[in-house]
Amino acid sequence: MLSALTEKLDSLDLNKVDYLFREYYFDFGLPSSKFVAFLLNQTGKKLRPLLLLLSARIAGDINENSYKYATIFEALHTASLIHDDIIDLAELRRGENSMNQQFGNKLAVLTGDFILSRSLSILAQEQNPEILRVYATASEELCLGEIQEQQIKSSGKITLDKYFEVLRLKTASLFSACCEAGVLSTQGPENIRQILRAFGENLGIAFQIKDDLLDFTGNVGETGKDTGKDIAGNIITYPILSVVNDLPKHLQKEFSHYSFSEMKKLITDYSGFKKTEDEILKYSSICLNILDRLESTDKVEVLKKIVKLNIDRKF
Ligand code: FPP
Ligand code: MG
């Protein structure tokens, strides 16, 4: 999938991330190994390590630290999904049983915690407080995003501003952190670091809006996740927010009163899916404009392809 984008780029090998994942989290000799082995069989898109390694290539030369950080940030993503699936009562992830479904909530929570703790041990060996700061800020923001999402859900008070704030925290923060960590791994220049951070943030927003769209329109065979999880969990996302002000009074009932198919029909009738696609395009064009501030190279072209792939992706 995504690895096909990098075939022509030498010295960028996403397989090394799998190899290091095994070394850091699996060959550790603890009972947790059984659960980490389960994760090794569940390969995701590896978008975050790819962004990190491309950022490293743009800022300098990929080195051992680039791969180390790529693995650790992919592991942070994995740990956050394990916890997210517990919260969302998700049964499927990456086309397989979710970890909570397979092993129960207790072991799933603990495996996520183990991955985080082990990552901190590895990062603590670094003589680089900057990478620790980037990692810690990203994990803090992921948690804050998820907490805010739950608070909004309980209060029933959602606005577009709040929706975007959650997106920035729960998704965009990790994308921008990966781009920044890639530059840090090569001790690259400050201006490149700022540009790629801003790129990552906007790609993260475009990516999560697309994810929220796929929760309505996706196909389990392609996304590897069940659809309708957001509405089932009472989480209001962009497709609904984009139509809410256009609805006549009699249709403005509690969203939890709609079934999934009724909600889809309502969004379709009020052009909500089209508006959502337009919003993805808006953030995608911000990403492309940011990339135009960099010298045009084959690596920057791959980042542009990722932006376009997100627009069309069905997975
Ligand atoms: C997916 O959202 C979830 C996230 C992007 C972040 C989850 C973060 C936490 C659970 C906080 C815990 C964090 C750490 C550091 C362990 P989604 O439910 O909209 O996407 P999905 O459809 O893929 O489930
Ligand atoms: Mg979820």
Side-chain angles (χ1 to χ4, degrees), residues 1 25 54 56 94 104 157 169 191 194 257 261 290:
M1 261 187 290
Y25 305 98
L54 284 167
R94 297 171 175 170
K157 290 187 186 129
L169 289 167
N191 65 325
Q194 296 302 337
H257 294 162
S261 56
I290 294 172

Side-chain angles (χ1 to χ4, degrees), residues 41-58:
N41 288 329
Q42 273 203 350
T43 40
K45 292 187 270 293
K46 292 210 197 68
L47 176 55
R48 290 149 191 86
L50 178 58
L51 289 175
L52 195 151
L53 293 171
L54 284 167
S55 299
R57 269 304 288 277
I58 289 166

Side-chain angles (χ1 to χ4, degrees), residues 69 127-136 180 184 190 193:
Y69 300 168
Q127 300 302 317
N128 183 350
E130 274 291 89
I131 187 65
L132 257 178
R133 183 191 60 73
V134 172
Y135 182 87
E180 189 170 7
L184 274 177
E190 180 59 27
R193 179 168 156 177

Side-chain angles (χ1 to χ4, degrees), residues 209-218 231 237-243 246 260-281 311:
I209 304 173
K210 178 76 188 200
D211 230 57
D212 293 343
L213 175 64
L214 287 173
D215 191 73
F216 283 101
T217 61
I231 180 115
T237 58
Y238 197 87
I240 303 179
L241 288 169
S242 72
V243 300
D246 301 334
F260 181 52
S261 56
E262 284 169 344
M263 200 71 237
K264 268 175 80 166
K265 181 169 182 329
L266 198 69
I267 296 171
T268 310
D269 290 349
Y270 286 83
S271 311
F273 293 130
K274 168 80 175 70
K275 287 180 191 162
T276 308
E277 278 162 7
D278 288 346
E279 197 67 9
I280 297 165
L281 287 179
I311 297 171

Side-chain angles (χ1 to χ4, degrees), residues 64-130:
E64 287 311 308
N65 273 346
S66 315
Y67 284 109
K68 180 188 276 186
Y69 300 168
T71 309
I72 281 182
F73 278 87
E74 176 65 358
L76 172 59
H77 171 56
T78 301
S80 76
L81 291 183
I82 295 173
H83 285 182
D84 179 70
D85 285 343
I86 298 168
I87 296 166
D88 289 347
L89 309 174
E91 292 166 5
L92 267 187
R93 172 67 69 184
R94 297 171 175 170
E96 311 271 346
N97 278 344
S98 60
M99 186 160 258
N100 45 307
Q101 177 72 10
Q102 181 81 8
F103 299 111
N105 285 350
K106 291 176 187 173
L107 287 172
V109 169
L110 292 167
T111 303
D113 290 346
F114 167 73
I115 291 174
L116 284 182
S117 316
R118 175 86 183 114
S119 304
L120 283 174
S121 303
I122 295 164
L123 284 178
Q125 292 160 10
E126 297 272 303
Q127 300 302 317
N128 183 350
E130 274 291 89

Side-chain angles (χ1 to χ4, degrees), residues 120-305:
L120 283 174
S121 303
I122 295 164
L123 284 178
Q125 292 160 10
E126 297 272 303
Q127 300 302 317
N128 183 350
E130 274 291 89
I131 187 65
L132 257 178
R133 183 191 60 73
V134 172
Y135 182 87
T137 306
S139 43
E140 199 176 302
E141 290 186 338
L142 285 181
C143 296
L144 285 174
E146 199 77 2
I147 291 168
Q148 281 202 22
E149 189 167 85
Q150 293 304 314
Q151 283 176 327
I152 291 169
K153 178 175 140 173
S154 317
S155 71
K157 290 187 186 129
I158 173 84
T159 59
L160 263 182
D161 280 353
K162 284 187 187 166
Y163 170 78
F164 278 106
E165 175 65 5
V166 169
L167 247 59
R168 267 177 226 288
L169 289 167
K170 82 167 189 179
T171 306
S173 65
L174 187 53
F175 277 66
S176 60
C178 285
C179 293
E180 189 170 7
V183 179
L184 274 177
S185 73
T186 67
Q187 296 168 329
E190 180 59 27
N191 65 325
I192 305 270
R193 179 168 156 177
Q194 296 302 337
I195 291 171
L196 288 173
R197 251 199 82 85
F199 165 76
E201 161 118 355
N202 285 285
L203 180 64
I205 295 173
F207 182 89
Q208 187 62 46
I209 304 173
K210 178 76 188 200
D211 230 57
D212 293 343
L213 175 64
L214 287 173
D215 191 73
F216 283 101
T217 61
N219 173 312
V220 63
E222 288 168 309
T223 61
K225 311 185 274 195
D226 286 320
T227 47
K229 292 302 286 179
D230 289 335
I231 180 115
N234 230 346
I235 291 181
I236 308 300
T237 58
Y238 197 87
I240 303 179
L241 288 169
S242 72
V243 300
V244 73
N245 290 331
D246 301 334
L247 297 179
K249 265 265 167 308
H250 72 280
L251 290 178
Q252 288 189 355
K253 54 182 173 179
E254 277 282 309
F255 293 119
S256 55
H257 294 162
Y258 289 96
S259 70
F260 181 52
S261 56
E262 284 169 344
M263 200 71 237
K264 268 175 80 166
K265 181 169 182 329
L266 198 69
I267 296 171
T268 310
D269 290 349
Y270 286 83
S271 311
F273 293 130
K274 168 80 175 70
K275 287 180 191 162
T276 308
E277 278 162 7
D278 288 346
E279 197 67 9
I280 297 165
L281 287 179
K282 180 177 129 189
Y283 280 93
S284 303
S285 86
I286 295 174
C287 291
L288 296 175
N289 288 339
I290 294 172
L291 291 179
D292 283 339
R293 287 157 58 195
L294 294 169
E295 187 194 333
S296 172
T297 60
D298 51 354
K299 280 83 72 180
V300 173
E301 283 311 306
V302 176
L303 287 184
K304 289 185 179 171
K305 279 189 190 154

